[in-house]
Amino acid sequence: MRAAIICATVLSVAPLFASAQDQNAGRNLAASCAMCHGTDGRGATGYQPLAGMAKDELVRKVNGFRSGATPATVMHQISKGYTEQEIQLIAGYFSAQKK
């Protein structure tokens, strides 16, 4: 009986934990962009700032790198490491940042 109560408690809390993780998923994925694009996407010297860029535009640009349609030095490799859902999360995060 005690195991059933513990199990029920864990299962009822699990969605809350997943929800909290999901809220930070875009930010967490976008952290890997900071080396070149700066903290919160504000642009390191010589790199395009991503903060405040329209989500659809950023998704289009990343998909251009993924397909090879847009020439790049490393972005064509980096972009292939993300799923479409991850790209949407990253783009959503950067679009919500102030320029």
Side-chain angles (χ1 to χ4, degrees):
M1 181 70 164
R2 186 174 188 173
I5 292 171
I6 292 171
C7 184
T9 303
V10 169
L11 291 176
S12 68
V13 174
L16 297 175
F17 180 70
S19 175
Q21 283 183 320
D22 292 345
Q23 291 174 4
N24 295 318
R27 182 200 66 191
N28 295 344
L29 289 165
S32 63
C33 307
M35 184 69 166
C36 297
H37 295 282
T39 304
D40 293 329
R42 290 189 177 81
T45 304
Y47 294 92
Q48 181 175 22
L50 303 176
M53 183 182 291
K55 181 179 176 180
D56 292 342
E57 180 182 356
L58 186 52
V59 169
R60 181 184 54 75
K61 286 183 177 197
V62 172
N63 284 329
F65 293 128
R66 285 177 80 187
S67 71
T70 304
T73 54
V74 296
M75 276 304 298
H76 63 287
Q77 295 171 343
I78 293 169
S79 61
K80 289 179 184 176
Y82 294 103
T83 65
E84 186 60 37
Q85 181 183 11
E86 290 170 332
I87 292 169
Q88 291 286 332
L89 288 168
I90 292 168
Y93 172 77
F94 283 128
S95 69
Q97 302 308 303
K98 292 182 182 179
K99 291 183 181 184

